[in-house]
Amino acid sequence: MKGDIYDRLGVRKLINAAGTYTMVGGSRMSRETLEAMCEASGSFVEIRELQSRAHERLAEITNNESALIVTGAAAGLYVLAAACVSLKLGREFRYLSPSEVGQCEIVVFRAHRNPYDWSLRQLGIKLVEIGYPNMIQPTTVQDLEEAITDNTVAVFYTEMKQGWVAEGALSLDTTLLVANRCGVPVVVDGAAQLPPVDNLWAFNRMGAQATVFSGGKDLAGPQASGLITGSKRLLDVARETAFPNYGIGRMLKVGREEIVGLLAAVEQYVSMDHEARAEWCQNQIEVLRKSFSEYRNVEVTDSYPNEAGQPIARAIVSFSREGVTGGDVVERLRVGVPGVFAISAGENGVFINPMTLMPGEIEIIVKRLKGIFEELGVT
């Protein structure tokens, strides 16, 4: 069959002006990445051999002892939790009984609780929460020390400078200091913490035993992929827990296409001119700002960092018109032609994030916004 696949299926294509959100596909893979995946699909190989070579290469280019490809950041947390249990109890996870696993504990900050920690809970491990998601009663070093017991297998830490993670946790520096002193590994959830590129190794150099990244966000690899970087000791155990081994890792199948695709994407990412990319994003905001400079009730301002705490500027398009909300504008952008996926910025604004835009798309967004403002009487 010929023609655009989305047109044939009746699926509307969108311009992504929000960021690397999974709900719209994360990011775009480059032609080089797609060609590598296509090439990988054309031959059979020993998956373990391919994994070994790819992991060695990834460890080398990310300046880490070891690396492991999984089926997404959540799968990475799942596999690492099981690996931490195995290290603690000295046995492979597949030989452990539910009661043995149920006695194990992972310490987390209440401020870091989120829907993704099902990756930890579904193993049957007990989550020990400390602190509160506010600064009324600050979390202390003693809180963390008291939470670590003989049953503790790890501390899992969600790293985000700013964004949707609440206040109320100890800093990563302090957490690492306490946990390492107690002989407990720290695993960092850095799913969306790229850029900056040096986060690929920075948290591990600080003392974390492993860091998990989404392969389908700013790395621009396959959406169904994730990257773990970290210590050889922990990742060796995780590797024997993950696919293609039998046990819990078997359901987390990583195809040769994803392995090669993520490797290609990371190779491109570490060699990218990130300063030039950030400058390009800033230039897109300037196009947006100039386009509405003559509007009395519209203002375009920078918002930095973006929603995931990444050091790339996004714009807030603020407007004042009684009865018109950011949600109204976002919905009109989504259902119009072409569709634009954006996020509201409070009651009277819309975020426009250039990091997932292609050349020429900001002009389309400007045209759509001007049309919507005209309809709604925003001048």
Side-chain angles (χ1 to χ4, degrees), residues 178-206:
V178 175
N180 290 340
R181 187 169 66 230
C182 295
V184 174
V186 174
V187 172
V188 174
D189 177 357
Q193 295 313 293
L194 294 170
V197 63
D198 58 6
N199 278 354
L200 285 168
W201 58 85
F203 305 133
N204 298 330
R205 287 187 177 178
M206 289 170 64

Side-chain angles (χ1 to χ4, degrees), residues 25-72:
S27 58
R28 288 183 176 99
M29 286 186 282
S30 70
R31 182 173 297 278
E32 182 178 345
T33 298
L34 291 169
E35 288 175 351
M37 294 178 71
C38 185
E39 184 178 353
S41 71
S43 299
F44 294 105
V45 295
E46 289 280 355
I47 293 296
R48 290 185 190 276
E49 181 183 5
L50 174 60
Q51 288 176 314
S52 177
R53 299 295 182 269
H55 293 157
E56 288 174 4
R57 175 62 178 155
L58 283 165
E60 175 188 0
I61 63 179
T62 63
N63 303 305
N64 284 283
E65 285 185 10
S66 189
L68 175 63
I69 296 173
V70 288
T71 54

